[in-house]
Structure formats: structure tokens, C-alpha cells
Amino acid sequence: MTIPSAEGFLPAASCLPCTAEEERAAVEALTRDAEANVKDGDLRYLVSQSWWTNWQSYVGLLSYGENDTDIPLQPTSRPGEIDNRKLVSEENSSGSEEQELQRTLREGEDYTLVPPEVWRKLYDWYKGGPEISRKVICEDPTSRRYIVDVYPLHLALIDERDSSSRTIKLSRKDKVHELYRLVCSILSVEQSKIRLWDYYQKTKNKELVNQSETLEEAQLTMDQEILLEVSVDYTWSSDLAPRCTNNEFALVPLEPSTSSFSIAGGPNISNGYSSRIGSSLPQDNHFNPLLRDTEDGYSGFSNGTKDEIHGLTGLHNLGNTCFMNSAIQSLVHTPPLVEYFLKDYTQEINTDNPLGLQGELAVAFAELLRKLWSAGRTSVPPRAFKSKLSRFAPQFSGYNQHDSQELLAFLLDGLHEDLNRVKKKPYIEAKDADDRPDEEFAEECWNDHKARNDSIIVDKFQGQYKSTLVCPECNKISVTFDPFMYLSLPLPSTVTRMMTVTVFSGTGEFLPMPYTVTVQKNGACRDLFKALSDACCLNDSETLLLAEVYDYRIYRYFSPSELLHSIKDGDQLVAYKLPVGHEKLLRVEILHRKVDRFTSEPQFSISRKLIGSPLVTCIPVDSTSKVDVYAAVSAVLAPFVRAKVHPPGDSMLNGSGPSLDGIVLTDNGASCEKGLSTSNVDEAITDAELLPFNLYLSDDKGHVRNPIDEDSNHVLGPTMRLLMDWSVREHEIYNLKYMEDLPDVFKPGFMSKKTRQEAVNLFSCLDAFLKDEPLGPDDMWYCPSCKEHRQASKKLDLWRLPEILVVHLKRFSYSRYMKNKLDTFVNFPIHHLDMSKYAKHTSRGDQPSIYELYSVINHYGGLGGGHYSAYAKLVEEDNWYHFDDSHVSSVNEEETRTSAAYLLFYRRVDGNSCPMSEDVPVDTDMVDSPEA
């Protein structure tokens, strides 16, 4: 479609109305041009995801269906103004040109990014805001990988001269010399006269002298301090201080501690460092853990005794790094890894593996593990490790929240390649089973895999699948045996969701009432309308107007065709019961504002603090006098009148408003009123002294405060917005508590008992994972017999189980336009997880595969503002602990089994592992589950 240009014919501020098709074509063309010519330093603008989804639906860009199948949506109404207020932090500094964002936003869930040209078009068409722009930075010049720096690096600049502090913002990809230049510009000092120090945790860790490294490479993290020193007569204040202070550590050789302890029944090992560590490597390179262990102001050595507890060290949150901290804590509490990395592992570092990270990830992980297993409980800032992680895995760089399971998969794979004992991988041609027995072919596949992959990770974490494909046409059977690192188990999908909506009367018949209804999770708002209509006994002459309330205002109205997945559990929904055909009447929105004292003067200066929930009613378009407006508002407020002010039978307020039940709408939109009269309203109501409340004409934000005219109040558009001032007088007349504290759409704790009763167990998840199912239409299999791509059926079996079994519960479901989290409680065993039924083969004879739980990664909250923590068991002392970033606390064993469980870590307790104690309780409710 060609769009004629209006350039040169219209003023710059002019914008002709466009059809939905024209808007779609214009945005698509501008987006293609911008993405084809992206470069470092470009801008991208944030747009509220909920608004963007509505716009996509309006222009026909959005389609939806299960399993990514596109199902065109019915056309929706044109969205309102762009509203980015939910993206901006309430603590945004008024003097800042750059909008401060909420810290837990996620792209695709809370916001989308558009090029400047698209933002200008959208703003011309819809207005709104606020405008939020961020810079594009080049993450990898080689691959031309660009990302948007949504969260710039915030640093607290501490001036040593007066201990003053100010916040400065830069990109994490800016060089150190840019930091110096900015500081010099702010303080008007010469660069030759200043020194900047990494001042994390109020400790002078290192001077920032490498001007060419990036701030990320310098290991500067979000919200940390940097220290400014200014020379006086070429003398630095720190040079006058003693050389060794409490804030600095001398880099001198230290002897390993002689105390020892036992890990999971294994041999006693030193809790210090082996004297052979690094002996095969130059002492000045990055593999020397001894000299690097004092980074971040932490000493990894202890003169502790044998009775001191190890492994109870927390990790600082460096800015949304809880996903990383939880994965690290689970790995560093895996007994085989602890034993391995506390010994001399450096002999196995593979620096020549092109698939590895030159051994640097393994060294960084080992250094961090040793710090965490030193005696004492001081929390550790994992800055060096995060710096390495950002360099090798750019997808985890920055300060956004990420998926702990994705990080765990990267760490296990990266550690394997860095520690691969195979220095030169042989070429092995894939073979076919050729009707050989499964045992023979599986062993051959495993040996071929081990010939190329041999590490501590393979030894402990990897098992083997059996995959069977059957052609639906010729019944050709193809069997392969593949390695796996963890099991990603689906949760039985819940197709419904519970939603709570507060229903208000638009005619003043009843007090607000919350209703909780069950609807299809993948449904539309029309399903919610239907469920609410049944719940509140709606009659044929009534209908519901559904809206979201945010910040005491109506944030948006919902059309029947809008999808329910755009409504989050934390939103607050209201529905107004109005007469059928209310769209042809004038809608009246009433906002509430708290004032210190009663006044009828519009010019009186008062604070504009909104309270309560908006009320909505409607009046005929030709009944907008002051008397009509006050009568309508009096009617809708009638249920909130305190009984002691107006006893039963007093009709001063309750009967003074127009009855909307008497409105009859004709086909041409004209209205006639049966019994609709305001004559019973005393003319004295216009006297300010007798008015029961003060009303003003306002806007949708409650910022405007204009008087109401006596005769008629003309309103542009279909809505009249009113502002009602609440002083002590109004509170004496009306009970505001019924308009306050709206319930959320859904609170996980509200139905916790019900959720637990309807929970599934781990074995049902395993059965769902291993069941026979056809491949998807986008994942066709090429049948070697038919010579065609076929939609074959696929069956997975667990052939060989690892010593460490990691189970990933797939709580997050994704389709092209929807992301969702399942909070289903999964009843998993802590002791005696018997996998014998699922293990088709074991190299250990007839001994059953019994597993014990030793760690859990939890995810709390939703996709946008979620939080990760970990439970881990100190196997040596048989106690469980909760690792929540830097906070470590003791927990009971049963507390580890919650609906927040996301990743489960089991260790086999047969063969070479420590046997299960006879007095350990067995989960009898789970033992028989596999037979069900």
C-alpha cells in the first residue's frame, strides 16, 4: 500500500486522521527503515505494552491463538491517549530531563521499544506520554548486535572533600575516560587534579586508572559508590594516610587454613586453597585465584576452627541479579562441585576449546565458590563474576531481570566446555540403529558423546534420552539416544483463571460489591462480562462498563473483544452497572480529592491528592445544568450516606437524582424520560451553603478545577469529568471506606488452600513430559522411507539418569503475543524420589534410582516484578537454609515445598553417594504416585 506524502502541504503540527490500515502501513514502513539502519547512539522510545497491544489489535497487527497459531482478532476500537505513567517511578526527580523508570520492567511484558519516527507518528495521532527515550548501544561490534540501554548505570559520586553525594548516569558501555569527563564537567575541575576510586560498600577497592576500559569491564555496578579525590598542591589525602587501613587489603601470600571438613561423606579436604592451585599457570595471569581473591573488599581466608559453619554466605544483589544469585547458590551447594572446586581443578582447564570461554568462566566460578565456602557468614558481592558473565553472555548483561533457568543452562554448558578433558574432539559420524538392541545402540551413542565431551559436568549432571519417532504414513520407526542436562517438565495447563472485579452501581442502588468469577484464561473481556453479569444478577435492561483503576483514576476502559491476557493479577478492575444504551447518554466520571478544609472558591490553593475510586453515572446530553449535575451525583452517592446523618425515610439525597431506569432510548438516539424530573430538587441547592458537596469540572487526571455553570455545561466529547472535594464535612456525610482499597484481580495467597488441594505432583509432570504426542506443524520430521516431511509422533524415555538430577518446572508459558506464569502447586518429594519406573536402563545393575532433594530455586510474583531466591541444604549438618540475596536464614524442611518452586535439585543416594539415613522420613503420599 502506498501512502501519499503530505509534506509541504500541511503545517508540521497538523496530522490528518488516518484509517487503521494507514496507521499500520506507516508504522511498519518506518520500523523497517529504522531497523535496517540502526547504529550506536540511536534512540528508542518506550511505549506501554498494554497500550501497544490495544493499538496492534486496532490496526490488525495482533492475532492470537494457542501454540502460536494465528487467529485474527475482531477489530477493536481506536485506543485512547498513550499512557506511560505506569512505567515511570513515583520517585522521579522533578528536575531530571530523563524519566526514571520502575526498576522491574520487562520488555514485551511492560513496555515495547519503537524508533523515534514511529514514536512521533503515534504521538501525532494519539498524544499522551510521558515521553521516555533510551539510547541504542552496540553490544558486540563483530556481530553488529545492538541493544537498548533501558536502565543506564547509576553511580553515587562521593566527594571526599565534604562527603557530599550526587547521582550520575552513564551507559555501562561508556569508557572510564567518559566518567572522568563527566565528573570534571559537573564539578568544574581539571582531570589532572582528580582521582576516582571504585568505592563499593564504602571500601576503596581500586583506583579507576584504565581509561580505555568500559564501566562494565571495570566492574562498576548499579547504585554503587565511586569516590572522588581532589589534589591540593599535588598532594592526595590518601597518600597522607597509613599504607594499610581497614578499607584496604595487602596482597601478600597467605597459607591455606589447616582446618578441614567433610562434604557428603566424601574425603576430608581443606577449606582454604590447595598449595598446588595455579602451579601450572603463570602467577601473573588471570588464573591465579590467590591474588584475585581479595577483590571486592573480601578476604577468602579464615583461621576458623573445625566447628565453624561454612557455606552460609549470601550474595549481594547488584541490580536485579537475584536470578543469578539463586542459580549460583544452588550450584555452590551441589556437593560434587564443592569437592571438585575446593581441590586443584586447574589441571583440567581447557584453554584451547573453541566452544569454551578459555577457562575464564570456570576460574571465576571457582573463585566465587571458594569465597562462599570460607568460614563466616559475611555476604559477598559477585562483581567479578557478573563482569565475566556479561562479557561471555551479553544476554545477561545490564540490570534487567532474567530467567534463572536460562542462566543455569548457560553456566552448566560453559563450565563443561571450560573443563572439558578432551583437548581435541574427534569427528564421529552419526550412526543409525540398524535394528540393533537398544542397550547396544544406547551405549555406543553414550561412548561417542563421551569421546567429545568429558568433564565433571558430564560426569555428574548429564543423562541420556531415548527419542522414538514414528511415521504416520509408513510406520517407519527412528530411534536416537541424546544427552540431557536437566528435565524441563510441563505443568498440567490450567485453562481458567479467577478474577476479582468490584461492581459499582451507576444509578445509586447499592454499595460496591467485589465478585470473584472464573473465566477462560485465553478468553476475551466479553467472557468476563458474561461471568460478572451472572454473578451480580444483571437484568435485561442493564449492562456493565468495565474499567481499570490506577492511581485513583480510570486508567482505561475495556471493550468486549480485548483479550484477558492484557489484564494482570495485580491490576484493579471495576465494573459500573448502567442502563442498556448508556453509550448514547453523557457519561459522568467523578474523581475524589482530599482537601484540608471546606471552601467553595475554585481559586483556593489546595494540594491535589486524589483518593478513593472513581464513580461513573450518566445523564441525558441536554440535562447538564448545575441542578442536573448535582442531582445525578447525589443519586450515585446515595448508598454511601451515613445512617446517622440521614435516617431511613429521609429522601433529601436518596431520591433527588434523576432515575436512569426511566430512560428509554429510541433508535435514532433521542431520549425521552418517563418520570425523569429534577423538579423535586429544591432551587436552594444552588446556594453554596446548602450544597451537600463541592463539585468542579475537571480533566481525566484531576488537575483542572473549573466552576460548574448554573444553566448548561457544554462538554467536548462523550464524557463529563467532575472533581469532588472531600473535607471533614463530606466525611461526616458519606462513608468513603467503601470506595477505598479495591481488591486486586487475583492474589495468590487468597486461594492458597484451594490451590494446594487441586495441586499436581511431580510424577504427573513427568508423565506429561514422557507421553506420546504428535510433532507440531512447524516441526515436521523428514521420513527417510517416504522421502517426505511428516507430522510424526514422538515419544521420549529416560534411558540413563545422572547423579545430579535438575528438574525445571515450566511455569512460564509463551506464545507470540502472550506471556503467562502458572502458580500451580507441584507436590514434589523431598526424600526418596524413586525414579526406577522412568529409568529404562542403568549401568549400576538392579539398584533403584533413589534421589534426595538438596536445593530449590524459587520464583515469586509475576513476569514483570518477580523475585528469585534459593533453598539449599547443608548436607554435612542436614539443615536447610534460605538464601535470599545477601540474607541467609534457617528454614524447616517442609517450608521448602511451596508453589514458588521453579527448579529442583536432586542427588542420587545409591552407589558412591552417601546412603539415606534410616530415620529420614519418606514422603508416603508421593511414593505410590507413579503407579497411579
Side-chain angles (χ1 to χ4, degrees):
M1 177 180 178
T2 303
I3 302 177
S5 174
E7 187 176 356
F9 296 94
L10 294 172
S14 174
C15 183
L16 288 174
C18 296
T19 65
E21 293 76 12
E22 289 172 332
E23 288 187 15
R24 170 178 176 169
V27 168
E28 285 182 326
L30 292 172
T31 301
R32 281 194 303 267
D33 291 343
E35 297 306 320
N37 302 291
V38 64
K39 61 183 183 298
D40 197 49
D42 285 351
L43 292 180
R44 290 294 182 267
Y45 287 75
L46 278 74
V47 178
S48 164
Q49 186 66 33
S50 59
W51 186 92
W52 178 252
T53 301
N54 291 338
W55 179 84
Q56 285 183 305
S57 177
Y58 165 65
V59 301
L61 274 174
L62 184 62
S63 54
Y64 175 76
E66 292 185 3
N67 301 321
D68 282 348
T69 305
D70 288 342
I71 301 175
L73 290 175
Q74 296 184 4
T76 60
S77 58
R78 183 182 173 88
E81 289 186 353
I82 303 170
D83 194 340
N84 288 336
R85 288 176 296 171
K86 280 190 175 181
L87 307 181
V88 181
S89 171
E90 295 180 358
E91 300 177 357
N92 191 33
S93 55
S94 57
S96 174
E97 295 181 359
E98 183 179 279
Q99 296 283 355
E100 190 73 28
L101 296 179
Q102 299 278 1
R103 282 292 179 92
T104 57
L105 301 180
R106 294 184 65 170
E107 184 178 358
E109 177 66 21
D110 300 290
Y111 67 88
T112 193
L113 295 165
V114 300
E117 299 80 6
V118 172
W119 167 258
R120 285 193 287 268
K121 277 291 184 186
L122 293 175
Y123 185 81
D124 285 342
W125 293 329
Y126 295 96
K127 305 305 180 186
E131 179 180 294
I132 309 171
S133 64
R134 292 294 185 266
K135 284 186 178 181
V136 173
I137 59 177
C138 184
E139 187 73 26
D140 185 2
T142 305
S143 61
R144 288 180 53 81
R145 181 177 184 270
Y146 295 93
I147 63 172
V148 178
D149 200 14
V150 175
Y151 290 99
L153 185 61
H154 292 202
L155 299 173
L157 177 65
I158 309 296
D159 193 331
E160 191 181 52
R161 295 172 295 181
D162 56 6
S163 298
S164 62
S165 175
R166 69 186 72 199
T167 301
I168 57 177
K169 303 175 185 178
L170 300 97
S171 168
R172 55 192 169 83
K173 291 298 181 182
D174 283 339
K175 306 289 187 181
V176 170
H177 72 79
E178 287 291 328
L179 174 61
Y180 272 91
R181 184 193 60 78
L182 180 60
V183 171
C184 291
S185 173
I186 293 175
L187 299 178
S188 301
V189 294
E190 297 180 13
Q191 183 168 336
S192 60
K193 294 185 178 181
I194 68 170
R195 292 198 306 196
L196 295 177
W197 290 80
D198 176 352
Y199 200 50
Y200 185 83
Q201 295 280 297
K202 296 291 192 292
T203 299
K204 290 174 67 173
N205 296 287
K206 64 177 179 180
E207 184 182 354
L208 301 175
V209 294
N210 189 346
Q211 301 275 323
S212 61
E213 70 177 353
T214 66
L215 301 183
E216 187 174 57
E217 292 169 343
Q219 300 179 17
L220 299 184
T221 57
M222 180 70 83
D223 298 326
Q224 78 154 83
E225 298 91 351
I226 55 174
L227 181 66
L228 168 69
E229 289 184 343
V230 181
S231 68
V232 179
D233 298 329
Y234 300 99
T235 301
W236 305 95
S237 58
S238 61
D239 292 339
L240 302 176
R243 294 301 299 171
C244 183
T245 69
N246 291 333
N247 288 336
E248 299 181 70
F249 293 91
L251 299 181
V252 295
L254 297 175
E255 292 298 326
S257 172
T258 57
S259 63
S260 61
F261 64 103
S262 173
I263 298 289
N268 288 344
I269 55 178
S270 170
N271 73 331
Y273 299 111
S274 167
S275 59
R276 294 186 297 145
I277 289 179
S279 60
S280 63
L281 299 167
Q283 291 301 303
D284 59 348
N285 78 357
H286 58 271
F287 286 131
N288 188 348
L290 184 61
L291 295 183
R292 293 170 56 80
D293 219 2
T294 54
E295 289 184 7
D296 301 330
Y298 181 87
S299 174
F301 297 95
S302 169
N303 293 323
T305 66
K306 185 175 180 178
D307 294 332
E308 285 185 315
I309 298 178
H310 303 259
L312 296 181
T313 304
L315 288 165
H316 293 189
N317 192 315
L318 304 179
N320 275 341
T321 57
C322 60
F323 76 97
M324 180 184 77
N325 292 348
S326 60
I328 290 173
Q329 290 289 8
S330 291
L331 286 182
V332 301
H333 286 86
T334 299
L337 289 186
V338 177
E339 182 176 344
Y340 178 84
F341 282 107
L342 288 183
K343 290 182 178 179
D344 185 2
Y345 67 95
T346 58
Q347 300 295 332
E348 294 192 342
I349 290 179
N350 189 337
T351 59
D352 301 322
N353 187 355
L355 299 179
L357 307 172
Q358 291 73 54
E360 293 189 47
L361 181 66
V363 171
F365 178 80
E367 290 175 358
L368 185 56
L369 181 144
R370 288 166 178 247
K371 291 179 184 179
L372 296 176
W373 275 93
S374 297
R377 300 180 64 168
T378 304
S379 58
V380 171
R383 299 196 302 159
F385 183 81
K386 186 180 187 302
S387 178
K388 294 287 187 185
L389 183 68
S390 300
R391 184 154 65 92
F392 291 122
Q395 66 269 31
F396 300 118
S397 61
Y399 304 99
N400 292 354
Q401 182 70 277
H402 295 281
D403 191 333
S404 185
Q405 184 270 333
E406 293 177 1
L407 174 68
L408 179 70
F410 170 81
L411 287 179
L412 289 175
D413 190 61
L415 289 174
H416 156 64
E417 297 294 356
D418 270 3
L419 299 169
N420 198 342
R421 304 178 186 109
V422 179
K423 305 302 180 181
K424 186 177 180 180
K425 295 187 177 184
Y427 171 76
I428 299 176
E429 186 175 355
K431 304 179 183 68
D432 191 68
D434 293 330
D435 298 325
R436 287 181 288 170
D438 285 346
E439 289 77 7
E440 179 184 338
F441 185 49
E443 192 66 23
E444 180 181 286
C445 291
W446 183 252
N447 291 334
D448 289 347
H449 174 66
K450 288 278 288 184
R452 294 172 54 85
N453 302 276
D454 184 17
S455 69
I456 179 68
I457 304 300
V458 174
D459 295 343
K460 303 300 181 182
F461 286 87
Q462 286 196 357
Q464 192 179 28
Y465 286 134
K466 176 188 176 183
S467 177
T468 305
L469 290 170
V470 180
C471 178
E473 299 295 330
C474 67
N475 292 323
K476 165 70 176 176
I477 299 177
S478 174
V479 176
T480 58
F481 290 89
D482 304 302
F484 70 88
M485 193 92 74
Y486 48 85
L487 298 180
S488 288
L489 306 185
L491 274 62
S493 298
T494 49
V495 296
T496 61
R497 65 182 292 196
M498 303 183 70
M499 303 182 73
T500 300
V501 182
T502 304
V503 177
F504 286 77
S505 172
T507 56
E509 297 177 352
F510 54 83
L511 286 169
M513 175 69 67
Y515 291 90
T516 300
V517 295
T518 301
V519 293
Q520 291 293 315
K521 183 174 292 186
N522 297 335
C525 285
R526 63 172 60 88
D527 302 317
L528 181 57
F529 289 150
K530 176 65 170 62
L532 278 176
S533 299
D534 295 339
C536 65
C537 302
L538 211 65
N539 60 46
D540 294 339
S541 63
E542 296 172 322
T543 187
L544 294 175
L545 179 64
L546 185 66
E548 178 187 351
V549 171
Y550 175 73
D551 198 21
Y552 310 106
R553 307 176 179 93
I554 293 179
Y555 179 68
R556 56 172 170 165
Y557 289 102
F558 294 95
S559 66
S561 58
E562 288 189 61
L563 298 178
L564 292 178
H565 71 74
S566 67
I567 302 175
K568 299 180 182 179
D569 286 349
D571 293 341
Q572 294 179 330
L573 296 189
V574 295
Y576 300 99
K577 186 185 287 189
L578 296 171
V580 172
H582 66 87
E583 300 88 352
K584 299 174 183 178
L585 299 172
L586 182 64
R587 183 187 300 163
V588 180
E589 291 180 8
I590 308 162
L591 302 179
H592 312 279
R593 182 174 62 175
K594 181 181 179 181
V595 294
D596 293 332
R597 65 185 181 88
F598 176 81
T599 177
S600 60
E601 295 297 328
Q603 297 81 12
F604 185 72
S605 177
I606 52 178
S607 60
R608 294 168 176 169
K609 181 182 179 181
L610 295 179
I611 58 175
S613 305
L615 300 176
V616 172
T617 186
C618 51
I619 58 177
V621 293
D622 56 352
S623 299
T624 59
S625 68
K626 187 171 186 178
V627 171
D628 294 324
V629 171
Y630 268 81
V633 176
S634 294
V636 79
L637 284 173
F640 303 94
V641 176
R642 297 180 185 273
K644 66 179 181 180
V645 178
H646 297 287
D650 190 340
S651 60
M652 174 182 174
L653 296 173
N654 206 9
S656 62
S659 173
L660 295 178
D661 291 337
I663 296 178
V664 178
L665 294 173
T666 62
D667 293 337
N668 62 5
S671 63
C672 61
E673 299 87 22
K674 295 192 298 183
L676 177 61
S677 173
T678 58
S679 59
N680 60 334
V681 182
D682 197 311
E683 295 296 332
I685 199 171
T686 59
D687 188 344
E689 294 182 359
L690 299 180
L691 292 176
F693 42 76
N694 259 18
L695 291 177
Y696 303 94
L697 293 174
S698 187
D699 60 359
D700 61 337
K701 298 179 177 61
H703 292 168
V704 178
R705 188 168 176 263
N706 296 325
I708 298 177
D709 295 335
E710 295 287 344
D711 298 330
S712 180
N713 295 273
H714 298 288
V715 178
L716 296 177
T719 304
M720 171 185 284
R721 295 182 174 89
L722 302 174
L723 186 63
M724 177 178 172
D725 281 347
W726 285 73
S727 63
V728 174
R729 173 180 170 180
E730 281 71 33
H731 282 285
E732 291 175 350
I733 300 175
Y734 302 102
N735 194 340
L736 186 65
K737 72 176 184 179
Y738 295 103
M739 306 182 206
E740 296 178 325
D741 300 326
L742 291 178
D744 292 347
V745 168
F746 182 77
K747 278 192 175 296
F750 178 68
M751 296 297 292
S752 58
K753 293 184 179 179
K754 181 179 177 66
T755 302
R756 194 177 183 91
Q757 292 171 358
E758 297 178 354
V760 298
N761 62 47
L762 187 63
F763 297 109
S764 63
C765 297
L766 275 164
D767 292 336
F769 173 68
L770 298 174
K771 71 179 180 180
D772 192 345
E773 59 182 5
L775 296 176
D778 297 329
D779 191 22
M780 305 283 274
W781 171 63
Y782 182 80
C783 176
S785 179
C786 298
K787 309 297 182 184
E788 295 283 347
H789 285 89
R790 302 295 189 190
Q791 193 171 359
S793 62
K794 183 177 183 179
K795 175 71 170 70
L796 286 178
D797 291 296
L798 301 180
W799 186 262
R800 185 191 307 265
L801 293 174
E803 178 181 333
I804 302 297
L805 180 64
V806 181
V807 178
H808 166 221
L809 301 176
K810 297 174 68 174
R811 295 196 177 276
F812 302 113
S813 60
Y814 301 90
S815 66
R816 190 169 303 169
Y817 298 109
M818 186 190 76
K819 299 179 181 180
N820 187 41
K821 183 193 174 187
L822 300 175
D823 289 313
T824 308
F825 176 81
V826 178
N827 192 8
F828 54 88
I830 298 175
H831 305 288
H832 203 271
L833 170 61
D834 190 350
M835 295 291 292
S836 302
K837 171 190 173 182
Y838 300 98
K840 298 300 181 184
H841 168 76
T842 176
S843 59
R844 301 182 177 223
D846 297 327
Q847 193 171 18
S849 297
I850 307 298
Y851 287 85
E852 291 270 305
L853 186 75
Y854 70 88
S855 185
V856 180
I857 294 179
N858 305 295
H859 181 271
Y860 304 93
L863 288 169
H867 177 67
Y868 289 95
S869 72
Y871 294 121
K873 181 180 182 180
L874 291 190
V875 180
E876 183 186 30
E877 63 173 67
D878 196 27
N879 286 328
W880 283 89
Y881 293 89
H882 186 205
F883 294 84
D884 188 0
D885 289 332
S886 58
H887 181 69
V888 181
S889 58
S890 177
V891 294
N892 295 326
E893 186 177 84
E894 273 303 315
E895 294 180 47
T896 63
R897 191 153 45 186
T898 71
S899 59
Y902 182 45
L903 286 147
L904 311 174
F905 292 76
Y906 286 95
R907 188 187 184 197
R908 187 162 48 202
V909 289
D910 56 9
N912 296 331
S913 299
C914 59
M916 184 174 64
S917 175
E918 294 181 0
D919 58 353
V920 171
V922 176
D923 294 318
T924 55
D925 59 327
M926 300 292 293
V927 171
D928 297 329
S929 297
E931 307 301 327

